[in-house]
Amino acid sequence: MPSFRFEVIAGGQSNMIKEDLASVELASPRAVELAKGAASTASPDADHSGSRVKVYDAAGYLIATVNFSDVFGGGPLGQTEPLNEEPGVKRSG
């Protein structure tokens, strides 16, 4: 199973989470879940303009970045619109 490192950057703090996932295709959706989870535990008036989740592979290469503002579409956190594809996922390389 591939290993990934998720760096959750929110509120001026960084938290590292290491996980093994069945495939690389599951890394970006997991980053979106982590962004939603981190935002839901923050205060409602928190500024998440610089908050994001960076995804690194086992070799340490950045493979995706998920901005909180992209996940929540610029509206109030927790209020999302139906999406047709992964929101806010920027793939590297």
Side-chain angles (χ1 to χ4, degrees):
M1 248 190 242
S3 294
F4 298 92
R5 184 171 44 106
F6 298 88
E7 182 181 14
V8 181
I9 303 165
Q13 297 186 18
S14 177
N15 184 28
M16 298 299 263
I17 300 168
K18 292 183 181 181
E19 291 189 20
D20 293 334
L21 300 173
S23 70
V24 69
E25 288 81 18
L26 298 175
S28 292
R30 179 65 180 134
V32 171
E33 289 175 17
L34 290 170
K36 288 179 180 180
S40 70
T41 61
S43 73
D45 59 342
D47 177 18
H48 290 289
S49 59
S51 300
R52 61 195 167 276
V53 178
K54 292 183 175 184
V55 184
Y56 299 91
D57 64 10
Y61 293 104
L62 178 66
I63 60 170
T65 300
V66 176
N67 295 311
F68 282 29
S69 59
D70 293 337
V71 171
F72 295 103
L77 294 179
Q79 296 180 5
T80 58
E81 299 176 10
L83 301 169
N84 293 331
E85 57 186 55
E86 295 176 52
V89 175
K90 297 179 183 174
R91 301 195 189 275
S92 298

